[in-house]
């Protein structure tokens, strides 16, 4: 089958797989890799990637489905996870939070139901922490938490594209805020929300591996006797109960204490625990100045941390008009830390610099033809071992072409 033929049947293959639950024998990357390659400047990288057109694409651990495939599918839904697997993501992420009855579910935040589901259009809106308030000269708002509702109530919701219209005067308009570079094409029918345990079963059936993220609670902990340690342990326990080997799981958290908890109490899982680095929000932190890293990269390694995951921009800087590894990246590698980056194709087109995720190199970015240039620097020069992506096909194609496992 040619690459053009693969592209033409991507949507059909996805829809059949989603409907039946079947795992197709071939990875389908669709038209996007070819589209990006065609826009590249002439050169060796373009020639190499173009030469891989028509060759089979393999599932790869380098390609991580960030919340599934949320560029076009509602995040953390069955449909999004299946799309990510179909596009070759070897690892798929469930962000983990908990309901009122302390059951684990897949959501990017405990308090995002008002932007990621249809809750405001249901009777469950009455249970939200803050009901919808129309704009009326200000900004429309709402706050609905998984901890506001039970697991059974959560399962009654439909997933939608993560968005809200802050200028809305009605609930209907508030829920209709999808960015122009995303799409509601696959969201209109409603996405199937998932418990954490259901995501484990589904991803395993699709041949994938796991990177659950323990999300920071919006409620005060302990929550009705449920402590942070209980929460961290419960997430690991659900993999053990499902018979998933620790070697197939990369548990994540922005909270270093969670990572250290796993290292101490679940060492088999802790060896692959990922410290999601949110230190960019600290006053004085600068990825170009190692003296501002607290703790230092070596101190993290000495505590048993083996994986660190910063946003893409922290790993890159510009030198003489070229993208190069940042001092942050060099320090992490020197300390022996494995690096995972996030999140590719998260913030739209590179035409205007690419948004938040590419801020450190925006001055040398002028168009989407440079997507693979960014990826190539991350893979070859920084030496990342995995990349979260909102559209895993782009990364899977590159990794397969370059022989990355």
């Amino acid at each position: 089958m040619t690459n053009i033929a693969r592209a033409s049947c991507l949507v059909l293959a996805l829809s059949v797989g989603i409907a039946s639950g079947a795992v197709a024998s071939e990875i389908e990357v669709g038209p996007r890799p070819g589209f990006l390659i065609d826009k590249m400047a002439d050169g060796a990288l373009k020639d190499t990637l173009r030469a891989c057109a028509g060759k089979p694409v393999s599932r790869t651990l380098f390609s991580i489905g960030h919340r599934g495939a949320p560029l076009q599918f509602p995040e953390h839904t069955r449909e999004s996870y299946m799309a990510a697997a179909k596009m070759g993501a070897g690892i798929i992420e469930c962000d983990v939070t908990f309901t009122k009855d302390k059951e684990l579910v897949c959501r990017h935040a405990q308090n995002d139901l008002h932007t990621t589901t249809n809750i405001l259009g249901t009777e469950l809106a009455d249970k939200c922490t803050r009901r919808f308030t129309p704009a009326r000269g200000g900004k429309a708002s709402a706050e609905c938490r998984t901890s506001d509702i039970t697991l059974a109530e959560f399962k009654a919701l439909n997933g939608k594209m993560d968005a809200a219209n802050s200028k809305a005067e009605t609930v209907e308009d508030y829920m209709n805020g999808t960015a122009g570079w995303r799409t509601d094409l696959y969201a209109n029918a409603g996405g199937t929300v998932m418990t954490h345990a259901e995501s484990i079963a589904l991803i395993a059936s699709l041949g994938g591996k796991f990177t659950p993220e323990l999300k920071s609670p919006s409620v005060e902990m302990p929550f009705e006797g449920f402590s942070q340690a209980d929460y961290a342990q419960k997430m690991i326990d659900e993999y053990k109960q499902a018979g998933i080997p620790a070697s197939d799981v990369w548990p994540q958290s922005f909270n270093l204490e969670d990572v250290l908890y796993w290292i101490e109490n679940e060492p088999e899982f802790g060896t692959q625990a990922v410290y999601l680095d949110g230190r960019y929000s600290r006053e004085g932190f600068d990825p170009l100045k190692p003296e501002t890293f607290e703790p230092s990269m070596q101190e993290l390694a000495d505590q048993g941390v083996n994986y660190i995951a910063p946003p893409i921009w922290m790993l890159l800087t510009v030198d003489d008009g070229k993208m190069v590894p940042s001092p942050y990246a060099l320090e992490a590698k020197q300390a022996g830390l494995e690096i995972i980056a996030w999140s590719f194709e998260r913030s739209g087109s590179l035409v205007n610099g690419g948004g938040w995720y590419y801020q450190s190199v925006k001055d040398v970015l002028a168009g989407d033809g440079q997507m693979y240039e960014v990826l190539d620097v991350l893979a070859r020069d920084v030496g990342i071992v995995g990349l979260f992506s909102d559209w895993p096909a782009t990364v899977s194609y590159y990794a397969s072409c370059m022989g990355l496992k």
Side-chain angles (χ1 to χ4, degrees):
M1 181 183 290
T2 67
N3 204 47
I4 293 174
R6 284 192 181 94
S8 67
C9 69
L10 172 65
V11 174
L12 175 61
L14 285 173
S15 63
V16 170
I18 289 169
S20 67
V23 181
S25 59
E26 287 189 279
I27 303 302
E28 300 286 350
V29 296
R32 185 150 180 80
F35 170 83
L36 295 174
I37 292 166
D38 285 344
K39 291 188 172 297
M40 293 177 67
D42 291 339
L45 179 59
K46 182 175 183 177
D47 292 343
T48 297
L49 293 172
R50 179 173 279 169
C52 290
K55 295 181 180 179
V57 174
S58 302
R59 190 177 311 283
T60 167
L61 298 182
F62 187 85
S63 179
I64 305 171
H66 179 237
R67 316 184 199 179
L71 188 65
Q72 295 194 23
F73 289 82
E75 64 185 47
H76 293 311
T77 61
R78 179 175 183 269
E79 293 79 7
S80 191
Y81 293 155
M82 293 194 72
K86 185 65 181 173
M87 287 185 272
I91 302 173
I92 298 174
E93 178 190 45
C94 166
D95 288 327
V96 178
T97 187
F98 56 87
T99 59
K100 186 176 183 179
D101 44 354
K102 305 166 195 169
E103 297 296 333
L104 303 186
V105 296
C106 299
R107 286 292 95 193
H108 178 63
Q110 189 168 52
N111 63 339
D112 74 1
L113 294 183
H114 51 289
T115 65
T116 64
T117 75
N118 67 332
I119 190 169
L120 292 177
T122 74
E123 293 180 356
L124 292 173
D126 292 334
K127 297 191 175 186
C128 290
T129 295
R130 287 188 294 108
R131 291 213 55 182
F132 171 72
T133 300
R136 294 178 184 168
K139 287 187 176 181
S141 64
E143 184 180 2
C144 302
R145 302 174 177 177
T146 57
S147 53
D148 291 334
I149 59 176
T150 66
L151 176 61
E153 290 167 334
F154 172 81
K155 291 288 290 177
L157 299 176
N158 287 327
K160 73 175 191 69
M161 298 302 281
D162 182 15
N165 177 4
S166 63
K167 297 180 180 179
E169 298 288 342
T170 67
V171 165
E172 291 75 18
D173 285 344
Y174 183 77
M175 293 192 295
N176 185 23
T178 303
W181 44 272
R182 296 185 183 272
T183 179
D184 286 315
L185 182 62
Y186 303 112
N188 287 328
T192 307
V193 297
M194 304 284 290
T195 67
H196 178 232
E198 287 172 339
S199 80
I200 294 172
L202 176 64
I203 293 167
S205 76
L206 297 170
K209 298 187 180 184
F210 313 86
T211 186
E213 179 189 339
L214 196 75
K215 302 302 297 189
S216 297
S218 298
V219 295
E220 186 175 347
M221 299 293 277
F223 175 72
E224 297 179 0
F226 190 54
S227 70
Q228 185 69 23
D230 293 335
Y231 179 30
Q233 186 62 52
K234 185 177 178 68
M235 189 181 85
I236 298 301
D237 286 345
E238 294 199 346
Y239 288 94
K240 296 164 77 172
Q241 291 160 8
I244 303 297
S247 58
D248 285 356
V249 185
W250 286 262
Q252 318 167 67
S253 181
F254 278 98
N255 180 359
L256 181 58
E257 294 306 312
D258 294 334
V259 175
L260 297 179
Y261 173 87
W262 294 321
I263 291 170
E264 180 178 354
N265 296 282
E266 289 286 353
E268 290 188 342
F269 287 87
T271 192
Q272 291 189 162
V274 181
Y275 174 43
L276 293 164
D277 196 347
R279 290 180 290 176
Y280 53 80
S281 62
R282 295 183 187 175
E283 185 177 355
F285 177 86
D286 186 342
L288 301 181
K289 298 177 180 179
E291 64 272 18
T292 68
F293 304 170
E294 186 182 343
S296 70
M297 298 297 185
Q298 189 58 56
E299 287 170 338
L300 288 172
D302 291 344
Q303 292 179 84
V305 176
N306 293 318
Y307 288 84
I308 194 166
I312 290 169
W313 67 267
M314 284 171 55
L315 296 168
L316 301 175
T317 189
V318 176
D319 183 32
D320 195 23
K322 296 182 180 180
M323 288 181 282
V324 297
S326 68
Y328 175 101
L330 298 176
E331 287 283 313
K333 295 300 287 187
Q334 185 174 349
L337 298 175
E338 301 282 14
I339 304 172
I340 298 170
W342 48 273
S343 294
F344 204 59
E345 300 195 83
R346 179 69 190 165
S347 51
S349 173
L350 297 187
V351 171
N352 296 313
W356 189 85
Y357 291 88
Y358 307 90
Q359 59 185 280
S360 62
V361 291
K362 62 182 176 60
D363 291 343
V364 296
L365 298 178
D368 290 345
Q370 293 176 274
M371 283 284 189
Y372 276 127
E373 292 180 27
V374 174
L375 178 45
D376 195 56
V377 174
L378 289 170
R380 290 179 182 272
D381 300 333
V382 174
I384 64 171
V385 297
L387 181 59
F388 283 92
S389 174
D390 277 24
W391 197 243
T394 305
V395 177
S396 300
Y397 182 96
Y398 174 92
S400 191
C401 185
M402 298 299 183
L404 303 178
K405 302 300 184 183

